[in-house]
Amino acid sequence: MLEHVPHWLGSLLHNVRAGHARLAILQDGIVTGAVHGDRRLELSSIAFADGARLPERFTADGEGVSPPLAWRGVPADAVALALIVEDPDAPTPNPLVHAIVWNLPPGDGALPEGAIAADGHGGFDGSDVGRNSYSQEGWLPPDPPTGHGSHDYVFQLFALGEAVPIDVNPGRSDLMEAIRGRVLAAGMLVGTYSRGEEIPIGPVPATPQVV
């Protein structure tokens, strides 16, 4: 949708952004002072390095599938994982939600390419893909306005110490209510994307070793 915004309008909106301070991981009561050090999850992707540009394949300019992810360092007392992907640089009041996955199995693991897709009432492993900002299940491909500058796409993973009932296909508010006060560990991975900007050349990420 936003690929149709003309370059001049995207440039005018360059400083209109939701703001990183509104990311889920930074909200009150989500990640407490106790979650640090060995309580930090290591979240990575074989497709892009932290802080590097997302390959076009995962955006609205390509196939639009979700990127592969891997994580490690999940505490032994975790009962589930939750993932939310947000764009704090969107010209909207709050970060644009690109994906939610609820109730991932605890422990070190991974999501293959394209795994964040509509799953109806959930997957066989008990996980459930939630609603993005367009009220659709699945991955919302990055689609920044041309000329608006670089956008961060922030993958945030939370290890939870308590099982919480939640509606099928949860949205952001459902997720936030469910994880508040229950996060044992958290991790973050950032990919970037832009249109009408010089494309940076970033490092090729090392293949993560997930045990």
Side-chain angles (χ1 to χ4, degrees):
M1 180 180 293
L2 294 181
E3 74 270 21
H4 301 303
V5 172
H7 190 283
W8 64 267
L9 182 54
S11 297
L12 284 177
L13 294 171
H14 193 278
N15 293 322
V16 180
R17 296 168 185 255
H20 286 67
R22 295 180 182 272
L23 287 168
I25 201 169
L26 295 179
Q27 299 314 296
D28 290 342
I30 300 300
V31 177
T32 66
V35 181
H36 60 79
D38 60 352
R39 288 299 204 179
R40 179 178 179 273
L41 301 178
E42 181 183 329
L43 182 61
S44 62
S45 176
I46 59 173
F48 63 96
D50 186 29
R53 184 177 173 88
L54 285 168
E56 191 174 283
R57 173 174 178 77
F58 307 116
T59 75
D61 294 327
E63 288 81 354
V65 296
S66 63
L69 299 171
W71 53 86
R72 61 189 305 169
V74 177
D77 50 346
V79 300
L81 301 173
L83 174 75
I84 184 169
V85 186
E86 297 180 293
D87 173 11
D89 293 306
T92 51
N94 292 300
L96 205 64
V97 176
H98 285 263
I100 288 175
V101 186
W102 173 252
N103 203 36
L104 285 160
D108 296 349
L111 284 174
E113 179 182 299
I116 305 177
D119 63 357
H121 291 286
F124 291 113
D125 60 359
S127 64
D128 186 21
V129 174
R131 291 176 282 112
N132 56 46
S133 282
Y134 286 7
S135 295
Q136 298 173 337
E137 263 190 275
W139 172 250
L140 177 63
D143 185 21
T146 300
H148 195 250
S150 183
H151 283 217
D152 284 347
Y153 296 88
V154 186
F155 297 73
Q156 303 152 80
L157 184 67
F158 304 94
L160 307 179
E162 182 181 345
V164 184
I166 194 170
D167 289 339
V168 174
N169 314 134
R172 186 182 193 271
S173 59
D174 301 318
L175 179 82
M176 297 294 287
E177 181 179 350
I179 69 175
R180 184 169 277 110
R182 299 178 175 91
V183 175
L184 299 178
M188 191 168 67
L189 172 68
V190 180
T192 69
Y193 198 69
S194 61
R195 286 196 180 101
E197 308 284 333
E198 183 177 348
I199 297 176
I201 298 176
V204 177
T207 301
Q209 300 297 315
V210 177
V211 179

